[in-house]
Amino acid sequence: MQDAATIDRAVDPARLDRSMIVDLELGSEPVRQEMISRHAADWGSRPPFYIVNQGVPQVIVGRYRDLMEVYRDNDRFTSTPPRLPGYERFDIFNGIPTIAQTDGEDHDRVRKAFAASFGPGAINRMDEVIRRFVDTMLDEVEALGGSFDFMNDFAGKLIFRFMLDEVLKLSAEQQATIFRFSMSLSLIVDHKPGEPFPQEFLDALDGALNVIGSIMEDRLVEPRENDFISTIMRDESGKVDVGREEILNNIFGILGGALGTTSASTSAMMITLLKHRDQFEQVKADPSLIPQTVEECLRYQGPGFLSFARFALVDTEIGGTPVYRGMPINLNQQAGNYDPEVFDNPLTFDIHRNPKNIITFGAGRHLCLGQRLARRMMAVTLERICVRFPDIRLADPEFEPSYEGMFGEIRQCSAPMELGIRPRERSEEHTSELQSRISSR
């Protein structure tokens, strides 16, 4: 059986058709900064092409149909990184197996243990908690006096604080440890082949693992409501076939590496809507548009331009491009959302598009486990902002964000905004009308 462990060497660059190689460093800042404005639209309409980064031949896939082919074919492609020099940047969790980079029966078995905690029922049960929490954070924004940074004062803290404070009730010290690890992932973006990971990253990783192990022990003794760790630890005794180490590894993956994506998506949503003020006004007037607005915002600009890479298990082809065994396959889901064969006028933002097939969260076996929570958090945030801060605006109408983050991420560095007139003077009048519409949905 072919798997990542049987891949013992990188592809020889001499095998590549040189006419299909693009001179591009995928982890560079110019690529990150120009992904939305330049690269994604181009890659969304062209066949897969080659790059050679850190001496490793790779392929970039951007067309929607090509992405779906890779996402859904578990026989030709694996999500588990081979342990080879030059492949370190793909091994986000330094060899710790999580469902994001595991395949086959092991993936399905462990994912089943976590699925109920992120399914529709679980998210619905958390709805009032989410609403209360979002309002609490908006109270903090209002207390700043009118001028604030949507990313750094709100969105950047949103999902971290919700999961770590509101749901898991971690101490301030524990939260800081998890946050430190999440931020340390940016340290391995430019990791050089054969070099050890930075000590700061390794220390942050060890700290996060220790905190999560401690939480697991606590939940065995004192389980908590609406706490996904408590749910999984309760089930460990026999309802699911999953071990303690597997639970630890995947809680680590969720808390350490996956929380920042909702922050970036929420910030992008508000920047986009405020740049398209006429459409924001339509959402304020008709809150039934919120779900499809969230979908269009996720299509128009998601939290990153790369999902977890895949690796070819056999010599094959994707969209007519030869792909060789062992070759890393960089999947650009943002480009897929700009594919003109799937989305008419893809660079036009339109809340009435109501897209049903966005690829922001991947597809197939590895569809993002937390996508329902992300959508609900974004929808509630938009709903509450419409009610409480109807005159919110960008501090600079011509604002263009710059980006940062881990490999493949496009997280806004900042998003300066103004609340407009004093929010409560305006929202008291607006609230009764809007909330009556919300309750009639």
Side-chain angles (χ1 to χ4, degrees):
M1 177 181 178
Q2 301 278 10
D3 61 25
T6 66
I7 298 173
D8 59 2
R9 68 191 68 181
V11 173
D12 184 348
R15 299 185 69 183
L16 305 185
D17 179 343
R18 298 195 64 80
S19 69
M20 300 176 67
I21 301 176
V22 173
D23 183 13
L24 176 129
E25 171 51 60
L26 194 56
S28 69
E29 281 307 307
V31 169
R32 189 202 306 273
Q33 302 304 327
E34 295 181 341
M35 182 53 58
I36 298 298
S37 62
R38 175 186 173 191
H39 298 299
D42 176 30
W43 299 356
S45 58
R46 68 182 292 178
F49 58 92
Y50 302 130
I51 60 173
V52 180
N53 285 180
Q54 300 182 344
V56 177
Q58 307 169 34
V59 64
I60 292 179
V61 177
R63 292 188 304 195
Y64 190 96
R65 66 177 182 272
D66 298 331
L67 289 164
M68 294 301 286
E69 177 182 344
V70 177
Y71 279 131
R72 291 174 170 171
D73 192 329
N74 302 304
D75 295 324
R76 290 187 295 154
F77 310 110
T78 178
S79 64
T80 304
R83 305 288 282 182
L84 297 173
Y87 287 62
E88 293 90 346
R89 68 163 37 157
F90 302 111
D91 185 9
I92 301 298
F93 301 121
N94 195 27
I96 296 173
T98 70
I99 56 173
Q101 295 187 299
T102 305
D103 295 313
E105 293 181 0
D106 285 341
H107 168 275
D108 296 346
R109 175 177 51 79
V110 177
R111 185 182 177 102
K112 182 180 178 182
F114 283 79
S117 296
F118 294 92
I123 302 305
N124 288 338
R125 287 191 295 274
M126 285 195 288
D127 189 66
E128 286 305 314
V129 177
I130 292 172
R131 291 175 181 279
R132 185 169 60 249
F133 176 75
V134 168
D135 264 330
T136 297
M137 288 203 62
L138 291 177
D139 288 343
E140 296 174 9
V141 167
E142 186 174 347
L144 295 174
S147 298
F148 75 108
D149 186 321
F150 189 85
M151 184 60 178
N152 294 304
D153 293 326
F154 180 80
K157 305 174 182 178
L158 182 66
I159 196 69
F160 278 98
R161 280 183 50 183
F162 177 73
M163 292 298 293
L164 303 185
D165 190 1
E166 186 71 22
V167 174
L168 298 179
K169 308 293 185 186
L170 303 192
S171 69
E173 183 179 356
Q174 289 174 321
Q175 291 184 45
T177 300
I178 299 296
F179 186 78
R180 190 178 304 117
F181 170 71
S182 185
M183 294 299 100
S184 78
L185 290 170
S186 63
L187 298 174
I188 61 174
V189 169
D190 293 318
H191 186 74
K192 300 298 185 293
E195 291 185 359
F197 281 118
Q199 192 60 44
E200 183 180 349
F201 167 78
L202 294 175
D203 290 344
L205 185 152
D206 287 342
L209 286 172
N210 288 334
V211 165
I212 295 165
S214 175
I215 298 167
M216 288 171 60
E217 295 302 320
D218 289 345
R219 297 308 186 267
L220 275 176
V221 176
E222 188 178 349
R224 298 178 180 178
E225 187 179 0
N226 291 330
D227 177 334
F228 75 94
I229 297 180
S230 294
T231 301
I232 294 163
M233 295 303 294
R234 269 199 308 267
D235 286 348
E236 185 202 3
S237 60
K239 291 184 181 179
V240 293
D241 179 21
V242 60
R244 185 73 57 88
E245 184 174 350
E246 291 172 316
I247 294 173
L248 171 65
N249 292 343
N250 284 280
I251 293 172
F252 165 76
I254 292 168
L255 296 184
L259 295 184
T261 55
T262 302
S263 297
S265 297
T266 304
S267 180
M269 174 181 71
M270 285 310 303
I271 293 171
T272 300
L273 283 167
L274 296 181
K275 280 179 168 291
H276 298 81
R277 188 78 201 191
D278 58 329
Q279 298 189 58
F280 181 54
E281 296 296 330
Q282 292 178 50
V283 176
K284 284 169 24 182
D286 182 3
S288 70
L289 294 173
I290 288 175
Q292 67 194 57
T293 298
V294 168
E295 289 302 292
E296 175 66 353
C297 288
L298 285 166
R299 184 201 69 83
Y300 192 72
Q301 184 174 335
F305 60 92
L306 294 175
S307 58
F308 285 96
R310 302 298 192 269
F311 306 89
L313 292 171
V314 295
D315 287 352
T316 185
E317 68 170 41
I318 304 170
T321 299
V323 176
Y324 303 106
R325 173 175 159 77
M327 180 175 281
I329 303 162
N330 296 288
L331 303 172
N332 190 314
Q333 73 273 32
Q334 185 62 63
N337 283 332
Y338 286 173
D339 187 335
E341 291 189 4
V342 180
F343 304 101
D344 292 336
N345 301 313
L347 299 185
T348 298
F349 177 73
D350 181 7
I351 63 172
H352 299 288
R353 183 190 299 273
N354 200 14
K356 300 294 186 182
N357 51 351
I358 65 171
I359 204 167
T360 306
F361 296 107
R365 174 178 273 167
H366 288 277
L367 178 69
C368 175
L369 188 66
Q371 48 94 11
R372 290 186 181 88
L373 177 59
R375 285 180 162 106
R376 183 67 59 87
M377 190 68 75
M378 292 174 67
V380 171
T381 294
L382 179 55
E383 180 182 303
R384 299 306 300 149
I385 286 176
C386 286
V387 170
R388 296 188 55 174
F389 307 136
D391 297 300
I392 190 173
R393 62 177 182 265
L394 292 170
D396 175 3
E398 304 302 317
F399 172 73
E400 293 295 337
S402 57
Y403 302 102
E404 60 185 359
M406 57 189 284
F407 182 57
E409 191 174 29
I410 39 178
R411 185 175 68 236
Q412 300 79 11
C413 298
S414 65
M417 295 186 186
E418 300 282 345
L419 292 180
I421 64 172
R422 284 182 293 175
R424 282 186 177 153
E425 288 184 359
R426 178 70 176 85
S427 64
E428 283 177 2
E429 174 187 358
H430 195 71
T431 296
S432 59
E433 175 187 355
L434 204 61
Q435 286 184 332
S436 65
R437 295 186 183 188
I438 291 169
S439 62
S440 65
R441 280 184 293 174

